[in-house]
Amino acid sequence: MTSPGSTPDIATRTEHDLLGDREVPADAYYGVQTLRAQENFHITDVPVSHFPRLIEALAQVKRATARANHQLGALDDERAAAIEQACEEIAAGDLHENFVVDVIQGGAGTSTNMNANEVIANRALEIIGRSKGEYQHLHPNNHVNLSQSTNDVYPTALRLGILLTFPALVESMDHLITTLRAKGEQYSEVLKMGRTQMQDAVPMTVGQEFNAWATTIEEDVERLTRTASAFQEINLGATAIGTGITTDPCYAQLAIRELSELTGIDFVVSVDLVEATSDTGAFVTFSGILRRIAVKISKICNDLRLLSSGPRAGFHELNLPSVQPGSSIMPGKVNPVIPEVVNQVAFEVIGNDLTVAFAAEGGQLQLNAFEPVIGFNILESTRIMTRAMNTLADRCIAGITVNEDVLEDNLRRSIGVVTALVPVIGYGPATDVAATALETGRPVADLVLERGLLDEARLQSLLSPASMTAPHRPTPTGTMPALSEEQLDSGEITRLPVDPDQAS
């Protein structure tokens, strides 16, 4: 009986390891080595269970190895079946709360591997009618970890975990691309001024701007998928340093075949297992693609914040959806909070990539001890980028509207449109017109007509949306559309007459 205010006694079981005996909570599926890891690595407060796909990957690797060991006669029927059932349950989502070790840990992932070994063993013990901790019947190391080392299981699980995780990012990228394309279609005929170096440049359509954002994300969908395929080469069967010590000669191929069958992913054994056990090149490359995507998405968000700035003292070309009040002191203020949060996600991903690079470089001799932080940062970058893409698409892009009056006024007052006239009136006269327009504030079109450089019909043709937002060939009477691919292929190119006044 406990006294008032005291903590009730918790039922425990005694477990033993290299360092001695410890009391483990009786109902816990993890064991003594996991308990020690909890005490040693109180770092991020982010447990391995934060990444369910990584837990699923660990379970599938352990299931595949159990199958291989059973086929080779190294694991009896009862234990093999119990281990496989436990792994199947964990892969389906059970017992994840027992994966409690911190994602960042010393030991090259040994604590994560032992956490999995102990949870699988204790669940398997229950399946064969034994109690948790009765390892004389089914042991975390002797049976669950048979023919394995952390040094081949952990990197294999990380690779599988990423392969299971990244399709959600691809899906979110596709969703953002579709949303941007729809907005581009919606405003495909609306003209605006393009800008370079924060200065007026030449006209474009709002649709072209949105489609350009879509294209820059679209470029990396295939690149990300192609890069991820490098994770299909694994070192399972390498054990400690790549020599395959403690394994049957047929084990590696069997285990990888079983893992491929379980996951539907075509894994292959690395050509050089010693090299593969210490190499983290695939992680570096994949993280670099995540950084590339982050840089691009952050640039888009910078553009959105600029184009929506104001509403009275900024660009005010776009209206972003109002999703929450913007200030605790300034009434009526609404901030671009969605682009801002996506910017911050991008900064995090860029920083994570630097961590991955340092961790990969820090590996020594036959193993990289820093794979836990590599895995954590890649999985976290993938997770938050997936959410950021969906948030940007649904909470911002889909609801954007355009201030067409502002765009029209900007076009009317801009000197950038004079660029469309250069092929016809020449660079010198166009420069004089631009300087006068800038000095007086008068529209370019009025000055061109006033100086008799063009007549009204010709001017309107050159300043039409079609002429100013796509390649066109000027003619003495107007403009001609760009040559088609068929005309270019056939060589049917009509030469235009040269205006002697412009030939010089």
Side-chain angles (χ1 to χ4, degrees):
M1 189 172 180
T2 59
S3 59
S6 65
T7 303
D9 293 334
I10 299 175
T12 62
R13 66 177 187 266
T14 303
E15 291 200 13
H16 179 83
D17 66 1
L18 173 68
L19 302 183
D21 292 341
R22 287 297 303 271
E23 296 300 310
V24 178
D27 61 349
Y29 284 88
Y30 59 78
V32 60
Q33 293 204 42
T34 301
L35 180 67
R36 293 194 193 279
Q38 276 189 293
E39 296 169 346
N40 289 332
F41 309 125
H42 190 68
I43 305 297
T44 65
D45 289 329
V46 178
V48 175
S49 59
H50 185 66
F51 300 107
R53 289 297 200 176
L54 179 57
I55 304 301
E56 179 184 343
L58 281 162
Q60 295 289 38
V61 171
K62 296 293 180 179
R63 189 179 177 192
T65 58
R67 284 186 173 187
N69 283 317
H70 183 235
Q71 291 175 49
L72 293 168
L75 199 60
D76 63 77
D77 293 348
E78 182 182 48
R79 290 191 179 102
I83 291 171
E84 184 166 355
Q85 181 180 331
C87 291
E88 188 175 3
E89 292 172 359
I90 292 167
D94 292 348
L95 304 179
H96 282 208
E97 68 279 4
N98 284 272
F99 288 80
V100 295
V101 298
D102 200 291
V103 286
I104 297 182
Q105 58 195 248
T110 296
S111 296
T112 296
N113 185 36
M114 285 308 303
N115 195 164
N117 288 335
E118 290 173 344
V119 172
I120 293 166
N122 281 308
R123 176 59 190 134
L125 283 167
E126 288 182 335
I127 292 168
I128 63 175
R130 301 291 180 176
S131 298
K132 298 183 187 74
E134 292 186 344
Y135 297 141
Q136 66 272 28
H137 302 290
L138 195 155
H139 197 278
N141 297 82
N142 296 338
H143 303 114
V144 181
N145 200 61
L146 181 63
S147 305
Q148 302 154 59
S149 164
T150 294
N151 303 345
D152 63 345
V153 165
Y154 188 75
T156 296
L158 281 183
R159 284 165 166 77
L160 175 54
I162 293 169
L163 288 170
L164 294 174
T165 300
F166 96 94
L169 175 57
V170 171
E171 185 177 336
S172 72
M173 292 171 71
D174 285 337
H175 177 50
L176 178 58
I177 291 163
T178 299
T179 308
L180 287 166
R181 293 282 185 214
K183 196 60 60 174
E185 177 65 25
Q186 182 180 351
Y187 293 114
S188 61
E189 302 298 323
V190 179
L191 282 174
K192 62 163 289 178
M193 280 304 299
R195 298 176 178 87
T196 58
Q197 296 165 272
M198 294 295 290
Q199 307 298 305
D200 295 354
V202 295
M204 65 187 302
T205 69
V206 175
Q208 286 174 318
E209 193 159 40
F210 277 94
N211 280 320
W213 291 332
T215 298
T216 200
I217 301 301
E218 199 168 46
E219 288 174 347
D220 286 323
V221 172
E222 188 275 335
R223 183 175 282 104
L224 186 69
T225 303
R226 184 176 68 249
T227 303
S229 66
F231 292 127
Q232 292 174 232
E233 181 181 321
I234 57 177
N235 74 327
L236 192 60
T239 62
I241 64 169
T243 60
I245 190 171
T246 75
T247 66
D248 184 287
C250 298
Y251 167 78
Q253 290 291 350
L254 272 177
I256 290 174
R257 186 186 70 188
E258 293 296 339
L259 186 61
S260 299
E261 183 178 314
L262 287 169
T263 61
I265 299 170
D266 292 327
F267 288 104
V268 295
V269 64
S270 298
V271 175
D272 187 331
L273 288 175
V274 173
E275 183 275 339
T277 302
S278 62
D279 177 57
T280 53
F283 295 114
V284 173
T285 305
F286 188 81
S287 180
I289 299 299
L290 295 179
R291 180 190 62 194
R292 174 186 163 107
I293 296 168
V295 169
K296 289 184 173 188
I297 203 71
S298 190
K299 189 270 182 189
I300 291 171
C301 288
N302 293 340
D303 289 350
L304 290 171
R305 290 189 294 112
L306 274 174
L307 294 172
S308 64
S309 61
R312 297 292 183 267
F315 283 30
H316 193 45
E317 292 187 358
L318 300 181
N319 301 308
L320 306 188
S322 299
V323 296
Q324 66 184 60
S327 175
S328 61
I329 187 174
M330 293 174 279
K333 192 170 189 290
V334 178
N335 295 326
V337 294
I338 301 302
E340 286 173 352
V341 75
V342 176
N343 277 130
Q344 292 173 80
V345 168
F347 305 156
E348 182 78 7
V349 172
I350 293 166
N352 289 349
D353 177 65
L354 182 60
T355 299
V356 170
F358 272 116
E361 185 275 337
Q364 298 165 317
L365 304 177
Q366 279 68 61
L367 182 67
N368 189 308
F370 309 122
E371 284 186 349
V373 79
I374 290 175
F376 169 57
N377 280 279
I378 290 178
L379 289 169
E380 183 67 3
S381 290
T382 304
R383 187 181 74 91
I384 61 177
M385 280 292 287
T386 299
R387 293 185 173 190
M389 295 274 190
N390 288 329
T391 298
L392 182 61
D394 296 335
R395 305 289 294 171
C396 182
I397 302 298
I400 287 176
T401 57
V402 170
N403 294 312
E404 296 191 33
D405 291 344
V406 172
L407 298 178
E408 185 177 341
D409 187 56
N410 287 342
L411 277 169
R412 183 183 63 80
R413 294 185 296 107
S414 174
I415 64 170
V417 296
V418 77
T419 303
L421 310 181
V422 170
V424 177
I425 69 174
Y427 188 85
T431 300
D432 290 340
V433 168
T436 303
L438 188 62
E439 181 181 351
T440 64
R442 295 182 61 193
V444 166
D446 292 354
L447 293 171
V448 170
L449 292 174
E450 183 180 281
R451 297 181 183 190
L453 296 171
L454 293 169
D455 60 36
E456 177 78 28
R458 185 75 189 285
L459 178 65
Q460 292 306 316
S461 173
L462 291 169
L463 296 184
S464 68
S467 296
M468 291 195 296
T469 62
H472 279 80
R473 296 184 295 158
T475 71
T477 58
T479 63
M480 290 180 63
L483 294 172
S484 67
E485 290 185 13
E486 290 77 11
Q487 287 175 305
L488 290 171
D489 291 340
S490 67
E492 296 177 3
I493 301 176
T494 303
R495 293 190 177 275
L496 301 178
V498 178
D499 185 341
D501 293 336
Q502 302 302 321
S504 59

